């Protein structure tokens, strides 16, 4: 049963008490006090409210509908709601439908902070209960999001794309399940239509959603093929959109363009007619002053270099590529500073892996890079400074690419 977005006008039953609403809003405001004692006391009171069966309905109400309060306070309610969803999802049974409906409506809010907070809560609900928890409440999340995309409302489009991007990253297997109608099959072509949108955030969310799907399909054990096939079925408009975005001024969009070209190497014969243009583009991006963008582009070389099908296509570009990779291997100023700060270990015998070049397996490299991109950080904060030199960077990626090329093409 497909439930249209318009049916959300008929809300689930919840009758808030004005007194409880005001008390909770007061506590949320006071919870931002810099005084530790005051803050601890407020947290205790909020914890007592947590035992009230409809407390999360109040939080959803404040986030999505109490527009008389500052966005900052509404977002605090949303962050607390997200935390409760994560920690106590099983306790939301009676109130879940109301929360879902309020959050969906909040995607239309004029404030981007409110839309993003609501989007985070929606994604957290889906992580906790899958799409099943929506169908049980006679709600079809992906259809509702698509209707927002078709609404012409810029706030609704932005809120919907923000949510879809998170679903493509965290709940991608749900999007390819037959029992829910394989939403990925209609989401992909819908997302591609926004690649040329005039607003940069819309373009960014749309392309990032599909790149999330591409990267997840490379590591998903069960549903990867179905997700990848959904993109391949729309490959022609997807490539047209990606080439359109290739010269976008936004660096994050360019990073996603690079990631998409790396992922599409898995269907090399389909992109072979465009490979010269792709190689030239990646050569240019590998030399970008922004090292993070250059690193995304550099991932392409080790991936394509170990593909036998690409040997003849890549070979004419090697004279241009080698100086770029050699330049990328030069230690940066930060590398030098960090190395100088390390203890002198001249008396310690070098390990074999420090002497000989090593080949990083493409699948491991892709998984590692996808995880870095999705999680945002991999190391404990305490180890950040100590491990910075050992982290994956442009220098190491360039060296790895040369290593692969030397193995495939010889000296």
């Amino acid at each position: 049963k497909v439930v249209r977005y318009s049916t959300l006008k008929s809300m689930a039953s919840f009758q808030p008490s004005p007194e409880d609403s005001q008390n909770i809003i007061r506590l949320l405001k006071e919870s931002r006090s810099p005084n530790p004692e005051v803050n601890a006391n407020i947290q205790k009171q909020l914890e007592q409210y947590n035992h009230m069966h409809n407390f999360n309905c109040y939080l959803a109400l404040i986030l999505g509908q109490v527009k008389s309060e500052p966005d900052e306070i509404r977002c605090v309610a949303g962050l607390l709601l997200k935390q409760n969803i994560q920690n106590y999802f099983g306790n939301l049974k009676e109130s879940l439908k109301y929360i879902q409906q309020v959050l969906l409506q909040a995607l239309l809010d004029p404030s981007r902070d409110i839309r993003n907070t609501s989007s985070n809560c929606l994604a957290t609900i889906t992580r906790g209960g899958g799409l099943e928890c929506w169908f049980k409440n006679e709600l079809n999340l992906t259809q509702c999001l698509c209707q927002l995309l078709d609404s012409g409302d810029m706030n609704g489009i932005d809120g919907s794309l923000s949510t879809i991007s998170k679903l493509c990253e965290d709940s991608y297997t749900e999007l390819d399940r037959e029992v829910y109608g394989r939403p990925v099959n209609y989401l992909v072509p819908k997302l591609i239509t926004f690649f040329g949108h005039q607003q940069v955030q819309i373009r960014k969310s749309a392309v990032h959603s599909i790149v999330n799907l591409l990267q997840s399909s490379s590591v998903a054990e069960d549903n990867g093929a179905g997700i990848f096939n959904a993109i391949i079925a729309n490959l022609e408009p997807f490539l047209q959109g990606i080439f359109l975005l290739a010269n976008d001024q936004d660096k994050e969009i360019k990073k996603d363009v690079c990631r998409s070209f790396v992922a599409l190497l898995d269907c090399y014969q389909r992109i072979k007619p465009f490979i010269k243009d792709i190689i030239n583009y990646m050569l240019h991006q590998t030399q970008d002053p922004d090292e993070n963008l250059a690193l995304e582009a550099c991932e392409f070389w080790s991936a394509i270099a170990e593909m036998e099908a690409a040997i003849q296509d890549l070979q004419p570009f090697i004279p241009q590529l080698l100086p770029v990779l050699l330049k990328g291997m030069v230690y940066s100023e930060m590398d030098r500073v960090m190395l100088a700060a390390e203890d002198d270990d001249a008396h310690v015998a070098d390990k074999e892996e420090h002497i000989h070049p090593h080949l990083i397996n493409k699948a491991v490299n892709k998984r590692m890079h996808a995880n870095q991109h999705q999680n945002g950080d991999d190391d404990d904060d305490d180890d950040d400074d100590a491990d910075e030199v050992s982290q994956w960077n442009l220098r190491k990626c360039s060296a790895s690419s040369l290593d692969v090329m030397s193995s495939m093409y010889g000296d």
Side-chain angles (χ1 to χ4, degrees):
K1 179 180 180 181
V2 175
V3 181
R4 299 298 179 187
Y5 186 76
S6 58
T7 64
L8 295 182
K9 293 177 182 177
S10 176
M11 296 292 291
S13 176
F14 171 60
Q15 298 296 326
S17 159
E19 181 180 356
D20 283 334
S21 294
Q22 289 305 311
N23 282 337
I24 293 172
I25 290 172
R26 175 183 58 80
L27 290 174
L28 292 175
K29 290 179 177 178
E30 294 177 358
S31 71
R32 302 188 62 76
S33 169
N35 187 315
E37 292 183 4
V38 172
N39 197 272
N41 181 49
I42 296 301
Q43 294 304 319
K44 287 181 180 179
Q45 293 184 59
L46 285 172
E47 188 62 32
Q48 290 177 348
Y49 268 105
N50 244 333
H51 297 293
M52 185 170 67
H53 78 280
N54 55 7
F55 176 55
N56 291 301
C57 290
Y58 281 99
L59 294 177
L61 176 73
I62 295 167
L63 169 64
Q65 298 185 352
V66 183
K67 299 186 179 183
S68 58
E69 294 297 330
D71 290 352
E72 184 179 15
I73 300 305
R74 296 170 64 191
C75 286
V76 171
L79 292 173
L80 184 54
L81 174 61
K82 178 186 174 183
Q83 179 179 311
N84 287 346
I85 294 169
Q86 283 179 320
N87 297 333
Y88 311 110
F89 182 80
N91 298 335
L92 298 177
K93 296 175 183 177
E94 294 182 4
S95 56
L96 183 58
K97 184 173 183 177
Y98 175 82
I99 294 170
Q100 290 170 323
Q101 291 176 320
V102 171
L103 291 174
L104 280 170
Q105 290 186 334
L107 294 180
L108 290 156
D109 198 276
S111 166
R112 191 154 202 277
D113 288 337
I114 299 301
R115 296 197 301 271
N116 281 340
T117 305
S118 302
S119 173
N120 285 328
C121 291
L122 288 167
T124 305
I125 288 173
T126 309
R127 279 201 304 272
L131 291 179
E132 180 183 9
C133 73
W134 294 87
F135 278 84
K136 281 185 175 180
N137 287 332
E138 297 186 309
L139 296 168
N140 187 326
L141 173 61
T142 54
Q143 288 286 354
C144 289
L145 295 175
C146 282
Q147 288 182 20
L148 283 176
L149 294 180
D150 294 335
S151 68
D153 185 295
M154 288 298 102
N155 294 331
I157 291 172
D158 178 66
S160 175
L161 285 173
S162 176
T163 307
I164 290 172
S165 179
K166 296 176 180 68
L167 295 178
C168 290
E169 182 173 346
D170 300 329
S171 303
Y172 51 86
T173 56
E174 291 288 291
L175 300 178
D176 193 39
R177 293 186 62 182
E178 183 65 38
V179 67
Y180 305 129
R182 295 191 184 278
V184 69
N185 288 337
Y186 56 79
L187 284 176
V188 167
K190 184 77 70 175
L191 290 167
I192 292 172
T193 64
F194 289 94
F195 281 14
H197 199 276
Q198 61 182 357
Q199 291 192 17
V200 63
Q201 188 57 51
I202 301 295
R203 300 195 304 273
K204 189 184 300 186
S205 295
V207 69
H208 193 60
S209 296
I210 294 190
V211 170
N212 278 339
L213 287 173
L214 275 170
Q215 292 186 326
S216 65
S217 69
S218 69
V219 299
E221 296 180 359
D222 299 323
N223 292 66
I227 296 170
F228 194 75
N229 288 339
I231 297 171
I232 297 305
N234 297 275
L235 186 61
E236 184 174 346
F238 176 65
L239 284 174
Q240 290 174 353
I242 285 295
F243 283 126
L244 180 68
L245 293 170
N247 295 314
D248 200 285
Q249 295 301 306
D250 188 89
K251 294 286 188 181
E252 293 303 316
I253 289 178
K254 284 186 175 181
K255 289 178 190 177
D256 275 333
V257 170
C258 292
R259 292 176 188 125
S260 68
F261 284 144
V262 174
L264 287 172
L265 288 173
D266 286 343
C267 59
Y268 187 77
Q269 293 304 320
R270 300 288 296 272
I271 65 170
K272 185 177 173 67
F274 315 99
I275 197 61
K276 290 183 179 180
D277 290 335
I278 293 173
I279 289 175
N280 276 317
Y281 177 78
M282 298 302 261
L283 261 171
H284 181 70
Q285 299 308 319
T286 305
Q287 301 172 76
D288 195 273
D290 184 328
E291 184 170 331
N292 291 324
L293 174 55
L295 174 59
E296 295 292 349
C298 193
E299 297 282 0
F300 180 81
W301 305 116
S302 60
I304 191 173
E306 65 179 3
M307 298 179 64
E308 292 187 7
I311 289 178
Q312 292 184 348
D313 294 325
L314 181 60
Q315 195 159 13
F317 293 91
I318 290 179
Q320 297 171 255
L321 177 59
L322 287 179
V324 174
L325 295 178
L326 288 170
K327 183 179 179 181
M329 290 176 61
V330 176
Y331 278 84
S332 68
E333 188 62 32
M334 180 58 71
D335 288 334
R336 294 191 185 97
V337 170
M338 296 299 296
L339 286 170
E342 290 184 341
D343 294 333
D344 184 7
D345 63 351
H347 63 285
V348 180
D350 289 331
K351 296 181 180 180
E352 184 175 355
E353 63 266 26
H354 292 165
I355 302 173
H356 300 292
H358 58 283
L359 177 64
I360 297 182
N361 178 271
K362 182 177 79 169
V364 174
N365 188 15
K366 284 174 67 177
R367 183 187 295 267
M368 175 186 68
H369 198 60
N371 287 341
Q372 287 177 341
H373 168 59
Q374 292 174 3
N375 298 334
D377 53 55
D378 296 300
D379 301 310
D380 294 332
D381 291 341
D382 294 342
D383 297 331
D384 283 349
D385 292 338
D387 292 344
E388 186 159 343
V389 173
S390 65
Q391 290 175 357
W392 191 245
N393 55 29
L394 179 61
R395 179 175 58 80
K396 292 189 175 184
C397 188
S398 299
S400 173
S401 298
L402 281 172
D403 185 21
V404 176
M405 290 176 64
S406 66
S407 300
M408 296 296 292
Y409 292 90
D411 297 331

